[in-house]
Amino acid sequence: MEKEKFEKWKAEYEIQQEKERYKFLKPIIVTFLLSGVLAIMGYYLYTGEYRFIGQKTIIIEAEIIETNMFHMGKGYYLHNLKYEYEFQNEKFQDYKKMGKKYGRMEKGDLIKIKISTKHPERNKYIGLVN
């Protein structure tokens, strides 16, 4: 009788051990997946790419039509740019505030911007045209 109970317990114990063998991996996998999703979301928010998710984009040139540079203090200047671009025979204008790291830009300079083909008013500054 005791031997039968022991054998029954041993069989149930082995089944339970087999189920619990990889149980510790579940929180680790969930943690890595969640960290990856948060990192991707952070990247899209930081770079401004979240505006273009699921949309076709193109890079076009825009012309600076107005620029103001004002002093923020302790040697830091801020550009206030107004630029104009054309997409599918329609003109768009937008404003951007840019820091010192982008360099000095003048009226008439050309910049590269990334726009959505579905919503051309959504744009992102890429860089100066060489």
Side-chain angles (χ1 to χ4, degrees), residues 88-130:
Q88 294 179 347
N89 297 324
E90 198 174 337
K91 288 195 175 200
F92 297 92
Q93 288 185 354
D94 200 7
Y95 294 90
K96 290 280 187 241
K97 288 184 179 179
M98 306 183 124
K100 192 175 176 181
K101 69 179 182 179
Y102 295 104
R104 189 166 177 84
M105 297 176 210
E106 299 293 332
K107 183 178 177 181
D109 286 351
L110 294 175
I111 59 173
K112 289 189 281 187
I113 59 172
K114 179 180 187 176
I115 66 166
S116 166
T117 55
K118 189 175 182 180
H119 302 285
E121 64 278 356
R122 293 181 188 167
N123 62 72
K124 178 186 170 197
Y125 173 79
I126 302 294
L128 283 170
V129 175
N130 293 337

Side-chain angles (χ1 to χ4, degrees), residues 65-81:
I65 55 175
E66 189 179 310
T67 180
N68 295 329
M69 191 172 210
F70 51 96
H71 188 253
M72 294 291 291
K74 294 190 179 184
Y76 190 78
Y77 289 88
L78 194 65
H79 263 295
N80 201 8
L81 300 177

Side-chain angles (χ1 to χ4, degrees), residues 29-79:
I29 291 170
V30 169
T31 301
F32 278 118
L33 289 175
L34 189 59
S35 298
V37 168
L38 288 175
I40 290 169
M41 285 174 51
Y43 168 77
Y44 279 116
L45 287 172
Y46 180 74
T47 62
E49 292 289 327
Y50 67 92
R51 294 178 279 180
F52 305 113
I53 293 175
Q55 298 178 24
K56 187 174 180 182
T57 60
I58 59 171
I59 295 176
I60 62 170
E61 292 180 1
E63 182 181 358
I64 298 174
I65 55 175
E66 189 179 310
T67 180
N68 295 329
M69 191 172 210
F70 51 96
H71 188 253
M72 294 291 291
K74 294 190 179 184
Y76 190 78
Y77 289 88
L78 194 65
H79 263 295

Side-chain angles (χ1 to χ4, degrees), residues 2-18:
E2 287 293 319
K3 189 165 181 145
E4 289 173 6
K5 283 185 180 179
F6 176 74
E7 292 297 327
K8 185 179 176 185
W9 173 84
K10 186 176 178 184
E12 288 175 0
Y13 179 76
E14 287 174 354
I15 291 170
Q16 186 179 357
Q17 285 295 98
E18 191 65 34

